[in-house]
Amino acid sequence: MSGGTGGSDLVEQWGDLARSVGARFTDGPAYAAAAATLHRTTPHTVAIHRGDDPVAIAAFAARTLGSVTLARSIGNGLGQGGDVIAVDDRAAHALADHLARRRHVLRLEQFPADSPLLDALARDRHWHVHTQVVSEIPTLRLRPDATARDVRSGRTLGQLRSARRKLAADGREVAFELLRTADELDRRWEDMRRVAGLRADSRPDWDAWLAGDRGTLVRTVLDAEATAGRLRILGITVGGVWVGHDIAVRCGTTWARYLTHFDPDHARLQPGHQLMVWIVDHHRDLGIDRIHHGRGSTPVKEAWSNHAIDAVDVWAVPDTVVGARALPPIMVAAATARAGVRAGVGRLANRSS
């Protein structure tokens, strides 16, 4: 196997590899490029090949200090976490070995604890690694014959049906709309932005993900996924008015959720739960057997999951770097101190507003 830093000629192979292993959209070239543009950097892409075929790929935001490369998650600060792509354990170990030989110091944020790279780092005696659990990633596995009744109680589902019937009786039918193409996304984009804005206005601590630079990032990713045929956005309407959506990407047989927004004025309808009922009941037609809720926990995620993966922050230094054993604790302490300063500034800003 051989390894190296990839250029533009790697992008097509990267996309093919991501599709073949069912990698989450955050680990593919479109998301990496969009995140790098937002961070005003260039993706530092490392690939491992067997012959002419890539078998492991990792993308970082990186900078060089002398002979050392400081490599950080490409999507840091964007709420998604990430992982590397590797076809098997051998490829992941080759990636870890290559990063060590090239003196990469790793700062990985919100990585899934079952990442093949983390396993390779832990098994490689040349790496000094510190991990810290920071959140969890809820998931829902579905049997082929599963329906919403296999996940939630009959009483709960009855309450959701009742909410739909009451609106229908008032002349405001509840309906669901699945978007897959760029044209369908265009048609509903302003509705989605409006609902996302209403949600952000109702929660001062809620980021306006479909506005500004972050909105540009999201739209760029969704356009790329629509072109690739993987875009899946489920919207819910009341009397023809768009009131909520679940933005997702189909990654292999996984419904990988990205962002969800709901109009607070329709909270009694419980749009998040209504959308999950539809997804689970139609999962065979959608070609999925798993829902990946993304990092963090919410009442909707907790109610519609049957498994959870720890999300961890990682500090890793190879022994090819001088002082490798002592560096991870120092890096952790520095990150903790920065987080404390940011939290203090945030509390001060809240008191001043």
Side-chain angles (χ1 to χ4, degrees), residues 37 53 60 96 139 161 174 262 271-272 288 300:
T37 298
D53 299 323
F60 306 102
T139 64
R161 283 194 300 272
V174 176
F262 316 116
I288 62 169
V300 172

Side-chain angles (χ1 to χ4, degrees), residues 70-249:
L70 303 180
R72 191 172 186 180
S73 303
I74 191 69
N76 67 85
L78 298 178
Q80 287 298 313
D83 200 354
V84 303
I85 302 174
V87 298
D88 53 30
D89 290 344
R90 182 175 162 226
H93 283 275
L95 175 61
D97 181 67
H98 178 80
L99 293 172
R101 286 187 286 106
R102 293 304 180 97
R103 297 186 177 90
H104 282 62
V105 173
L106 306 180
R107 171 69 170 98
L108 311 176
E109 297 173 311
Q110 301 285 345
F111 252 56
D114 61 355
S115 163
L117 177 60
L118 296 191
D119 182 68
L121 294 175
R123 293 173 180 271
D124 191 326
R125 62 185 178 84
H126 295 295
W127 280 93
H128 301 280
V129 184
H130 178 90
T131 62
Q132 178 177 314
V133 177
V134 290
S135 64
E136 65 178 16
I137 304 166
T139 64
L140 177 65
R141 283 282 184 186
L142 294 164
R143 302 189 315 271
D145 61 343
T147 68
R149 290 187 64 87
D150 296 297
V151 185
R152 303 303 307 278
S153 70
R155 178 181 179 183
T156 294
L157 297 178
Q159 291 171 341
L160 294 172
R161 283 194 300 272
S162 177
R164 297 195 300 270
R165 282 198 298 265
K166 287 178 181 178
L167 287 167
D170 194 33
R172 296 187 294 162
E173 191 79 27
V174 176
F176 298 89
E177 186 175 326
L178 183 64
L179 312 181
R180 299 172 184 251
T181 69
D183 286 344
E184 290 168 342
L185 176 61
D186 270 338
R187 180 169 52 81
R188 284 298 192 181
W189 181 245
E190 288 308 315
D191 289 323
M192 293 168 61
R193 281 170 49 87
R194 173 182 55 79
V195 169
L198 291 171
R199 180 61 168 162
D201 289 344
S202 72
R203 295 272 299 272
D205 59 338
W206 196 276
D207 290 321
W209 277 99
L210 300 190
D213 288 345
R214 290 190 173 189
T216 300
L217 161 77
V218 173
R219 183 60 196 263
T220 300
V221 172
L222 299 186
D223 282 338
E225 297 298 345
T227 299
R230 308 195 316 164
L231 181 68
R232 301 292 186 270
I233 298 172
L234 183 62
I236 183 169
T237 62
V238 175
V241 177
W242 189 275
V243 300
H245 50 256
D246 189 292
I247 301 173
V249 177

